Amino acid sequence: MDFAERVYGIVRAVPAGFVVTYGQVAALAGFPRRARHVGQALGKCPADVPWQRVVGAGGSVRVQPAERQLELLRAEGVVILSTRVDLRRFQWRPGPLAFA
DNA sequence: CCGATGACTCACG
DNA sequence: CCGTGAGCCATCG
């Protein structure tokens, strides 16, 4: 299982209406220092991967143009506060058995 | 092989 | 809040 595959598996596990950060995904994948590569992998991910649910640390959107991602997130109920996702309420925390 | 690149992050001013 | 700079590291040309 390579890095990208793990990333896709993790992102697919994020429920609609929630988001995770690049660094968080990298850590969950077992590679805490590869936040940048999460983005690289998402750039060419399969269609069934909800890439819009991955944002930068602090809730910032790094995708250009950002409007596209913001639109998809709003559509699933995520509240955007002036170009930033309200992580306080929408960051997903994997439960103990999320990946067992 | 090597340097440039980048959907990152953090510290500082 | 904004810009800078420095670590980071796989991928690309």
Side-chain angles (χ1 to χ4, degrees):
Chain A
M1 200 58 136
D2 71 345
F3 183 70
E5 289 303 317
R6 294 196 188 195
V7 168
Y8 300 151
I10 291 166
V11 176
R12 277 192 278 246
V14 180
F18 287 87
V19 301
V20 286
T21 67
Y22 295 96
Q24 188 185 352
V25 173
L28 287 173
F31 297 86
R33 302 181 258 170
R34 297 190 200 175
R36 307 187 73 141
H37 310 297
V38 170
Q40 179 184 289
L42 290 178
K44 45 188 176 54
C45 70
D48 64 317
V49 176
W51 57 269
Q52 71 274 24
R53 315 220 256 249
V54 182
V55 300
S60 57
V61 166
R62 322 293 289 202
V63 181
Q64 288 298 334
E67 193 44 48
R68 166 61 182 161
Q69 182 171 11
L70 292 176
E71 189 182 330
L72 290 170
L73 288 176
R74 280 190 297 255
E76 37 186 80
V78 176
V79 175
I80 309 302
L81 296 178
S82 171
T83 81
R84 294 232 164 164
V85 170
D86 180 354
L87 287 187
R88 276 292 196 59
R89 296 189 288 169
F90 302 99
Q91 178 172 167
W92 179 61
R93 312 253 186 240
L97 356 150
F99 298 106

